[in-house]
Amino acid sequence: MRRMMMSPKLSCDVWDGETRGPVPEAVNNVITITTGAQLAGLADAVNSGTTYEGYTIRLAADLDLNYKQWTPIGAFANYFSAWNPALLAPFKGIFDGKGHTVKNYVVNVTDKTQAAFFGYVDYPDGTTDFDDPSGGVVKNIRMYGAVANNSVKPNGIAAIGAAGIVGWNDGKVENCYFEGSVKAFDLSDADTVQKATVGGICSMLGNNAYVVNCVVGSNSEVIACGKTFSYAGGIAGYAYSMNTGYVQNCTVSSNVYIYSNMDAGGIVGGFCNKVSNCVCATDNIRASVEGIEGYAANPNESGYFAGGIVGAYGVETNSYWLQTPEYASINDTYKLTYAIGTGTDVSRKKSALPALPAASLLLSKYEAERAAVKLKATIYPVESSEAGQGVAISGQGVAVTPTALPNGGVGVLSLSGAGTVTVTVGGAAIGPSCEMAVR
């Protein structure tokens, strides 16, 4: 078993694992969280039916959850079953981590469809503006933890998932970082359909779901072992609707281990047509018929695929991946020759880590000071930045100082006004860009 680096040393509130709540009162529809107990109380409230639609939850301190068992915020249990609202407990507010860190959380479930820090995030009903939704958002947070789902047909459903941040995402996850271990092992009966979907950020992407500017850090592992279908992706496991799950400007760092006993992808495990401007910097991606850690092999004979960007079936644009060495084992298909494991595109395959462009912008600090907003921006992975490739910043309706960051993209941006800021890495020719809304 790989030894996981859980988190850096930080001075922060330490949760005792037992105290839950109370959730602070809202001020102008903003709830400020400063302790693990308050955050646990929020989880209880959401799981009891409070969606927090119309509210913003702001984290105002770093939190150490002290390796105590964490109950996911929200629940989704409708996959492979008739739609039953009684099995749903969505979070529909905005969770803004404000650049803070939540570390040392443990999710280990045996009776839930999704295991993650957030079990289920969903847009408010009637949402049409997915660039700037009014809810169903998790953003600006760094997370370090260990997640495992060993459930056996929870609620009679023979499909499970696990993720570092959001299990089933019907909303938007942006500017988030995860480092740790994520695993799902489906142990249900052999005569039923069993699916395991695992992602470093999200397990499942629903309709109009977005994952933007997110990073999975080094020393992480993403493992999916289902009896019939398995999908493991560095960022997301699987897109429920291939054309409406978006993964943009995301990075999987070097030394991330991604394994599935069916399909594995550097960014998405399978079935996603909306992957763009992403970078996978790990060459340790395996899709294998072999079982691991005592769990049975997958008997599915439809194929085993590994891709540098998507494991099986999908479309990507302007994304880069690291070429892996050739392996001799006939039972493993983890050469990562192509962007899509079932495709033929090799145009952006790189043979060495320094050749990969930087991809993602992570806002490690985001705070308002009087009329200005200061953003500390870090481009990940820093080690992948090419010499001479800086970060250019331009504002539309926003005054930006400075207008560029050096190679590696570390610095503080002072912004004033309202509008959009565009951040471009490495220039328009090869570098992806991303946009941030400033209010």
Side-chain angles (χ1 to χ4, degrees), residues 178-203:
F178 173 78
E179 184 175 320
S181 173
V182 189
K183 304 177 182 179
F185 295 99
D186 193 326
L187 307 178
S188 49
D189 299 334
D191 59 350
T192 60
V193 176
Q194 301 95 23
K195 175 179 285 188
T197 60
V198 182
I201 302 296
C202 297
S203 165

Side-chain angles (χ1 to χ4, degrees), residues 178-247:
F178 173 78
E179 184 175 320
S181 173
V182 189
K183 304 177 182 179
F185 295 99
D186 193 326
L187 307 178
S188 49
D189 299 334
D191 59 350
T192 60
V193 176
Q194 301 95 23
K195 175 179 285 188
T197 60
V198 182
I201 302 296
C202 297
S203 165
M204 295 286 291
L205 303 179
N207 290 334
N208 296 305
Y210 280 78
V211 184
V212 183
N213 302 339
C214 289
V215 179
V216 172
S218 296
N219 301 310
S220 297
E221 59 183 6
V222 178
I223 299 175
C225 288
K227 287 288 185 62
T228 307
F229 299 102
S230 292
Y231 303 94
I235 297 296
Y238 186 87
Y240 185 72
S241 177
M242 289 181 68
N243 290 315
T244 60
Y246 296 80
V247 182

Side-chain angles (χ1 to χ4, degrees), residues 374-401:
K374 288 188 176 181
L375 301 175
K376 182 179 179 182
T378 303
I379 304 302
Y380 290 91
V382 174
E383 65 270 22
S384 297
S385 299
E386 296 184 37
Q389 283 195 12
V391 181
I393 304 102
S394 60
Q396 297 80 46
V398 181
V400 183
T401 305

Side-chain angles (χ1 to χ4, degrees), residues 69-357:
Q69 177 68 27
W70 179 255
T71 300
I73 301 173
F76 186 97
N78 279 311
Y79 196 53
F80 282 154
S81 71
W83 193 262
N84 183 357
L87 299 178
L88 294 175
F91 174 76
K92 293 189 175 186
I94 295 175
F95 185 94
D96 187 352
K98 303 287 284 185
H100 288 289
T101 294
V102 175
K103 68 175 183 176
N104 300 333
Y105 64 91
V106 175
V107 179
N108 191 349
V109 302
T110 58
D111 60 352
K112 298 182 186 299
T113 304
Q114 293 291 335
F117 197 80
F118 286 83
Y120 181 35
V121 173
D122 189 16
Y123 295 119
D125 294 345
T127 296
T128 57
D129 183 356
F130 302 109
D131 289 330
D132 187 22
S134 63
V137 176
V138 176
K139 62 182 181 179
N140 302 336
I141 191 167
R142 299 177 68 95
M143 309 197 78
Y144 299 80
V147 179
N149 194 340
N150 294 286
S151 299
V152 178
K153 297 179 70 174
N155 296 297
I157 301 166
I160 60 173
I165 297 181
V166 176
W168 191 292
N169 178 25
D170 273 335
K172 190 171 188 177
V173 182
E174 57 182 334
N175 300 330
C176 293
Y177 176 98
F178 173 78
E179 184 175 320
S181 173
V182 189
K183 304 177 182 179
F185 295 99
D186 193 326
L187 307 178
S188 49
D189 299 334
D191 59 350
T192 60
V193 176
Q194 301 95 23
K195 175 179 285 188
T197 60
V198 182
I201 302 296
C202 297
S203 165
M204 295 286 291
L205 303 179
N207 290 334
N208 296 305
Y210 280 78
V211 184
V212 183
N213 302 339
C214 289
V215 179
V216 172
S218 296
N219 301 310
S220 297
E221 59 183 6
V222 178
I223 299 175
C225 288
K227 287 288 185 62
T228 307
F229 299 102
S230 292
Y231 303 94
I235 297 296
Y238 186 87
Y240 185 72
S241 177
M242 289 181 68
N243 290 315
T244 60
Y246 296 80
V247 182
Q248 302 171 339
N249 297 86
C250 290
T251 295
V252 173
S253 303
S254 59
N255 198 33
V256 173
Y257 178 62
I258 303 170
Y259 174 88
S260 168
N261 63 351
M262 184 176 171
D263 299 326
I267 301 298
V268 182
F271 294 81
C272 188
N273 285 345
K274 302 293 185 180
V275 180
S276 60
N277 297 344
C278 292
V279 168
C280 175
T282 184
D283 61 357
N284 201 354
I285 303 172
R286 296 181 59 193
S288 172
V289 298
E290 300 172 351
I292 62 171
E293 298 184 8
Y295 293 92
N298 188 337
N300 192 340
E301 297 180 358
S302 63
Y304 304 86
F305 302 103
I309 301 301
V310 179
Y313 304 104
V315 177
E316 60 77 30
T317 55
N318 197 37
S319 297
Y320 297 78
W321 70 100
L322 193 63
Q323 182 180 12
T324 61
E326 299 287 326
Y327 286 87
S329 173
I330 61 174
N331 292 325
D332 290 315
T333 55
Y334 49 103
K335 299 174 183 178
L336 303 191
T337 303
Y338 305 116
I340 313 297
T342 49
T344 59
D345 183 9
V346 297
S347 62
R348 289 178 301 280
K349 176 177 62 179
K350 302 295 183 180
S351 60
L353 186 63
L356 289 171

